[in-house]
Amino acid sequence: LTKMYKSPLLFTKSTQAHLKKLQLKSRNLGLAQVKGRPHPVTVFELLDVQSPEQQVKKLATAKLMEEALEAFNQDKLEVADPLICQILEQNPEDGPAQFLKRWIDEGPVEFVK
């Protein structure tokens, strides 16, 4: 998943509770089907391991990402698409936003091989 999202460190919701105690910054990337898990899990990216510039940009667009993911998960791609485009206008290097945009434009991407 890290390659697909172009994010150096991803983790699940169960780990997120522990990282919050350490006051580390993260961003919700929504549900993903991962190898070895019978059901999709909520995936987060750790922002603290990214460049300070990317941390600032991703935190600034976190609300847009939440709204886009909500629409995406409800299969409202016509709502999610302009939100993702706004994120990419502000941060063209946002890997998770690039991934979602590709999914919207080209169709589902297989998570697990």
Side-chain angles (χ1 to χ4, degrees), residues 73-92:
N73 289 332
Q74 295 174 5
D75 211 23
K76 296 179 180 177
L77 302 184
E78 71 285 353
V79 175
D81 189 43
L83 296 169
I84 295 297
C85 288
Q86 286 181 52
I87 294 168
L88 291 171
E89 285 173 15
Q90 294 179 46
N91 184 8

Side-chain angles (χ1 to χ4, degrees), residues 44-90:
F44 294 82
E45 69 175 331
L46 184 62
L47 299 180
D48 293 87
V49 298
Q50 299 183 20
S51 72
E53 178 185 13
Q54 279 301 304
Q55 289 181 42
V56 168
K57 288 180 178 182
K58 288 182 176 185
L59 287 171
T61 59
K63 181 72 173 149
L64 281 172
M65 180 62 90
E66 286 178 27
E67 292 172 18
L69 286 169
E70 184 177 333
F72 185 85
N73 289 332
Q74 295 174 5
D75 211 23
K76 296 179 180 177
L77 302 184
E78 71 285 353
V79 175
D81 189 43
L83 296 169
I84 295 297
C85 288
Q86 286 181 52
I87 294 168
L88 291 171
E89 285 173 15
Q90 294 179 46

Side-chain angles (χ1 to χ4, degrees), residues 15-65:
T15 302
Q16 200 254 356
H18 298 291
L19 292 178
K20 264 192 162 181
K21 292 176 188 173
L22 300 174
Q23 298 181 343
L24 298 174
K25 296 178 289 294
S26 63
R27 183 171 70 156
N28 185 340
L29 300 180
L31 293 172
Q33 182 64 48
V34 296
K35 192 173 187 175
R37 301 280 179 108
H39 304 287
V41 295
T42 302
V43 176
F44 294 82
E45 69 175 331
L46 184 62
L47 299 180
D48 293 87
V49 298
Q50 299 183 20
S51 72
E53 178 185 13
Q54 279 301 304
Q55 289 181 42
V56 168
K57 288 180 178 182
K58 288 182 176 185
L59 287 171
T61 59
K63 181 72 173 149
L64 281 172
M65 180 62 90

